Amino acid sequence: MPYGVTPTTLPVMTHLPPPAEELRLLDAELRQLDARRAQLLTRRAWLVAALQQARQQPQQAWAQARTQPPPVAWSRPETAAPSVQNVLLVLGGVLLTLAAAVFTLVSWGHMGITGRALVLGAVTLAALAVPAPLLKRGLRSTAESVAGLGLALTVLDAYALREAALTGTDGAGYAAAAAAVLAVIWSAYGLLLPAMTTLRLPLPSALAAAQFPLLLWALATDAGPYVITAALLVTAGLDAVAALRVTAGSVRIVAVVGAYAMGGWGVLAAGWLSLAADGPGDSARAGGLLLLAAVIALGAAWRVPGPGVRHALGLAAAAGLLTVGALGGVARFGVPTEWVVPVHLAFGIALLAGLRAGGLLPDAVRHGAAWASAVVQALSLLWALPVVALVVMGPAGWLGRVWSGAPSDARAAVAVEAPWPSDAAAAPVVLLAVAAVLASAVRAEQWRPRARLGALGLLWAAALLLPAILAVPHLAGMSVLGVMTAAALYLGRTTTSGARVTALVLALVTAVDLTLVSLASQTATLVVLSVLTALPAAASWRVSLAPFTAPAAFVYAAALASATGAAADWPPARTALLVLAVPVAAALLAPRLAASRATVPVEAVGAASGLLAVGLAVTDPPLLALVLALCGVIAAGTALRPDRRPVGYAATALFVLAAWVRLAAWEVGTPEAYTLPVTVPALLVGALRRRRDPQASSWTAYGAGLAATLLPSLVAAWADPHWTRPLLLGTAALLVTLLGARHHLQAPLVLGGSVLALVTLHELAPYVVQVTGALPRWAPPALAGLLLLALGATYEQRIRDVRRVRDVLGRMN
């Protein structure tokens, strides 16, 4: 097509409908849009209705559930069918066994010998033979029940045999033989018969029957307690072998129960025989029995498999304890009585050699021996504990015999109220032996520091016992205690916190013990308290020790001051002045310890010493006033420190108390003499506070000061028949009220006005009473009615006035 043809033909090819046609098309499109809109609106209405119905349906269902009964549910069976079956089978076997027993015991005499044998034998053989076909049919539970019936019938057969043919035999001997035979028969029944090997009842029953032959045989032969105990232990040993060899669970359970039961009774019997032995021979036999029990326990611990490590550990520990008991019981007759416990301790320590055996012994055996040794050592320490307690707490008896005279030796110094034990000589040996074990045998990194601290405590206890055990002179015993105190304080210099705390505790206990011992003599008391004041004071140069030693030094200083006053025959009130030197020293030292943890303890001891001084001076009011004033001076000096400003309140209280005590000593009964010395300084302090802080409340600044005088004086004025005090109090209250109104201060206005009104009421009360008596009886009700009418008529005005007054008071400071 030529290029020029296109522009000429395009206008002709473009389709433009006429206006009428285009209008028709537009109308058609609009109708379609309206129809589509109506369809969408219908769909929307349906969806809204569906949503509303879905919201209402749960509520309707809940209401319907509340009105209708719950649906019936099928009940679940509470017991499974196999359980019901087993219960029925067991119950049936028990009933058959009881029936057979009744037949054997009751109805036996009505039949001849042949009939008896035939009936019981036939029933027994049938009961023992029936389980085989039952097992072939798969009826295992029924077979077990019938087999149990057959085993029970064999016991009845044994009883019937004795009653029929062996009536002259010994009962215990026949029971032993019958138990052995039954054990063999039941074992053969469960092991040898191929069809019965799957039964679980014969073998445990056989093992249970095997528990009695040896014991019954020993009883039948009239054996002594040693043979009976041996029979128990041998039976326990056989049970242990069975428990370790047999793989069947039921048999193993019976074997374990038998081993522990028979072994426990055997050990108890052997221990009782060892304690009750009268000579070396009996002790040796009892020791042999204990060693037999130890061998059984050790063999069982050695052979226990891996999962039973706890049982192995317990058995090994029991073996160690039994060995110690056996050897110690034998050695008991070769040593003095007081050395029996150290001998047992020596054998217990020897058990620790098992720890060094390395791979020769299983780990459970070695650890069990270590636990047994620990138990022996702990029991030995418990035996020595009463002697240590007597040495530590016995000197407390001197508190009721202060300065009654020095004892003859160190033993008499501690045994004041209680007698000295006869076996105390071996106590230090026990303490030293256990300390050596703790220091050398414990090698674990976690426990080694604790073991060393324990060894240190035991060494200290042994050293504490030696002066009393050796009965050294009293002065030498106190010297030993003093050296121990100094040594403990020196050990407290260590950097380890545990060791430092241990050393400080030992030093404190030794110092207290030394103080109590020194109370027997006046000179000793003064010397000891001086030394105990100096030692902690010297140790306080160490920053780590100061929180403990500095307060201790002040405590002993207060005790020294009290003892010095008592030695000088001063009355307690005069001694209080000497005790005040301690809080003075504490107040002077505390600022130098501002960055130390010893500050608060030192200040606390100083405050306690001040209270002690007040308690000593309470019987002498003039000296008590002086002591209170001096305590106030000390508290005021402490309050000068920026971090101790609140102590100023205590200083103020002490000064007030001192003034009051002085007034009481002068027999001054006027309350204003007590209150004005408080009110005037309080008001001055309040005025200074208001000058520095104009926003401070008048109640904070002046309330306490004004109340301190106005309220006690008001109470005294109401009980005072004279006019002087009410007049002065009313004048003072008027001045306070005027000052409060002048300066717009709430506290003076309220307190002064209230006191003025009450004083006026008190003064006018007699006249009111006279006027009331002169009026007729109808006058008071009439006056009351008029008053009520007046109050009702002016109710609104009064409310407005009260609100106005409240607003005015609220604007006051």
Side-chain angles (χ1 to χ4, degrees):
M1 180 180 292
Y3 178 76
V5 176
T6 302
T8 58
T9 58
L10 283 175
V12 180
M13 295 177 64
T14 303
H15 177 70
L16 294 175
E21 182 67 18
E22 185 175 2
L23 179 61
R24 187 184 63 80
L25 294 175
L26 291 175
D27 291 338
E29 291 291 337
L30 289 174
R31 284 193 298 271
Q32 292 179 357
L33 290 175
D34 291 338
R36 180 62 177 168
R37 184 173 184 276
Q39 183 181 2
L40 293 176
L41 289 175
T42 303
R43 180 63 178 173
R44 179 181 181 278
W46 183 86
L47 292 174
V48 170
L51 290 175
Q52 292 179 353
Q53 183 178 3
R55 292 176 181 177
Q56 296 175 358
Q57 188 174 2
Q59 299 179 357
Q60 296 175 358
W62 171 250
Q64 184 178 4
R66 293 182 59 184
T67 57
Q68 294 181 357
V72 179
W74 294 98
S75 60
R76 294 181 56 189
E78 296 182 355
T79 307
S83 300
V84 176
Q85 166 194 308
N86 294 332
V87 170
L88 293 176
L89 291 175
V90 171
L91 183 59
V94 170
L95 291 177
L96 288 175
T97 303
L98 292 176
V102 171
F103 170 76
T104 304
L105 298 175
V106 178
S107 302
W108 184 256
H110 300 289
M111 300 181 64
I113 184 63
T114 304
R116 290 181 247 171
L118 288 176
V119 171
L120 196 55
V123 174
T124 302
L125 292 176
L128 293 176
V130 167
L134 292 176
L135 290 174
K136 290 181 180 181
R137 293 178 178 271
L139 302 176
R140 182 182 181 86
S141 299
T142 307
E144 292 283 356
S145 299
V146 177
L149 175 60
L151 298 179
L153 289 176
T154 56
V155 178
L156 295 176
D157 289 336
Y159 170 77
L161 179 63
R162 182 179 184 278
E163 291 295 326
L166 302 174
T167 55
T169 59
D170 179 66
Y174 180 79
V181 173
L182 289 176
V184 173
I185 293 174
W186 292 347
S187 300
Y189 181 74
L191 291 175
L192 300 181
L193 296 179
M196 306 300 180
T197 55
T198 58
L199 293 176
R200 292 176 294 181
L201 192 58
L203 293 182
S205 301
L207 187 58
Q211 306 298 313
F212 303 101
L214 289 178
L215 178 60
L216 294 175
W217 171 79
L219 294 174
T221 57
D222 292 332
Y226 295 96
V227 177
I228 296 175
T229 304
L232 290 172
L233 294 176
V234 170
T235 304
L238 295 176
D239 289 333
V241 173
L244 295 173
R245 294 289 184 179
V246 179
T247 57
S250 58
V251 180
R252 178 175 294 178
I253 290 174
V254 174
V256 170
V257 172
Y260 279 111
M262 293 295 183
W265 282 108
V267 168
L268 291 176
W272 179 79
L273 291 174
S274 178
L275 293 176
D278 295 332
D282 294 340
S283 179
R285 286 192 291 271
L289 294 174
L290 290 175
L291 287 178
L292 175 60
V295 170
I296 295 172
L298 182 61
W302 201 304
R303 302 294 298 179
V304 168
V309 62
R310 293 185 178 180
H311 293 283
L313 182 64
L315 290 171
L321 293 175
L322 291 172
T323 302
V324 172
L327 299 178
V330 173
R332 179 162 56 96
F333 292 94
V335 296
T337 305
E338 63 269 17
W339 294 100
V340 172
V341 173
V343 168
H344 283 79
L345 178 61
F347 290 129
I349 294 174
L351 292 175
L352 294 176
L355 290 175
R356 304 182 182 275
L360 299 178
L361 297 176
D363 291 340
V365 175
R366 294 191 298 111
H367 294 160
W371 277 105
S373 178
V375 171
V376 174
Q377 296 177 54
L379 294 176
S380 301
L381 290 179
L382 287 178
W383 173 82
L385 183 61
V387 183
V388 179
L390 176 61
V391 173
V392 173
M393 303 175 63
W398 290 108
L399 292 173
R401 307 178 182 182
V402 177
W403 297 349
S404 59
S408 58
D409 51 31
R411 181 180 300 178
V414 298
V416 182
E417 301 290 343
W420 181 254
S422 59
D423 55 353
V429 178
V430 171
L431 298 174
L432 292 175
V434 178
V437 171
L438 289 176
S440 60
V442 180
R443 298 182 179 275
E445 294 296 332
Q446 180 182 0
W447 295 99
R448 188 169 181 79
R450 303 177 186 178
R452 288 183 174 180
L453 293 179
L456 177 62
L458 293 177
L459 289 175
W460 168 83
L464 193 66
L465 296 181
L466 286 178
I469 291 176
L470 299 177
V472 300
H474 180 54
L475 182 59
M478 288 194 300
S479 301
V480 172
L481 293 177
V483 172
M484 291 175 62
T485 304
L489 290 175
Y490 181 79
L491 292 176
R493 302 174 58 189
T494 180
T495 57
T496 306
S497 59
R500 181 169 59 251
V501 172
T502 302
L504 290 174
V505 170
L506 296 181
L508 175 62
V509 175
T510 311
V512 171
D513 195 38
L514 176 58
T515 303
L516 294 175
V517 171
S518 67
L519 293 178
S521 173
Q522 175 178 317
T523 304
T525 301
L526 296 177
V527 172
V528 166
L529 291 178
S530 301
V531 172
L532 292 180
T533 302
L535 285 178
S540 299
W541 292 106
R542 303 278 305 183
V543 178
S544 59
L545 297 180
F548 307 97
T549 55
F554 280 103
V555 169
Y556 280 107
L560 178 60
S562 301
T564 302
D569 292 331
W570 289 357
R574 189 175 179 184
T575 305
L577 298 176
L578 189 60
V579 175
L580 281 179
V582 176
V584 170
L588 294 176
L589 180 63
R592 301 178 181 273
L593 303 174
S596 174
R597 292 182 301 169
T599 304
V600 175
V602 167
E603 291 177 342
V605 173
S609 302
L611 291 177
L612 175 62
V614 172
L616 292 174
V618 73
T619 57
D620 191 342
L623 280 177
L624 177 59
L626 178 59
V627 169
L628 290 172
L630 293 177
C631 291
V633 172
I634 297 171
T638 303
L640 294 177
R641 295 164 51 191
D643 57 339
R644 294 293 185 266
R645 297 299 188 194
V647 183
Y649 296 106
T652 303
L654 289 171
F655 284 131
V656 171
L657 288 176
W660 288 357
V661 172
R662 172 54 63 181
L663 291 174
W666 287 337
E667 298 181 356
V668 175
T670 304
E672 289 77 11
Y674 296 88
T675 58
L676 287 176
V678 179
T679 297
V680 174
L683 293 178
L684 292 177
V685 173
L688 181 62
R689 171 74 179 275
R690 289 273 299 175
R691 178 174 296 181
R692 292 183 178 180
D693 184 12
Q695 300 299 325
S697 173
S698 61
W699 288 103
T700 304
Y702 305 117
L706 292 175
T709 294
L710 292 179
L711 297 182
S713 298
L714 178 63
V715 174
W718 273 67
D720 193 349
H722 304 287
W723 59 271
T724 307
R725 177 178 280 113
L727 178 61
L728 295 177
L729 179 60
T731 304
L734 178 61
L735 292 177
V736 170
T737 304
L738 294 176
L739 289 175
R742 171 68 179 80
H743 298 283
H744 300 281
L745 298 177
Q746 191 177 41
L749 184 61
V750 172
L751 289 175
S754 301
V755 172
L756 179 60
L758 292 174
V759 171
T760 303
L761 177 62
H762 174 265
E763 293 301 314
L764 296 178
Y767 302 102
V768 174
V769 172
Q770 293 178 3
V771 172
T772 304
L775 292 176
R777 294 191 175 183
W778 55 267
L783 293 175
L786 292 175
L787 179 61
L788 292 175
L789 290 176
L791 290 176
T794 58
Y795 184 73
E796 284 188 80
Q797 183 178 358
R798 298 304 181 190
I799 292 177
R800 185 172 61 253
D801 294 340
V802 170
R803 289 176 178 174
R804 185 178 302 169
V805 172
R806 184 188 62 186
D807 295 337
V808 173
L809 292 176
R811 288 192 296 268
M812 294 182 181
N813 288 326

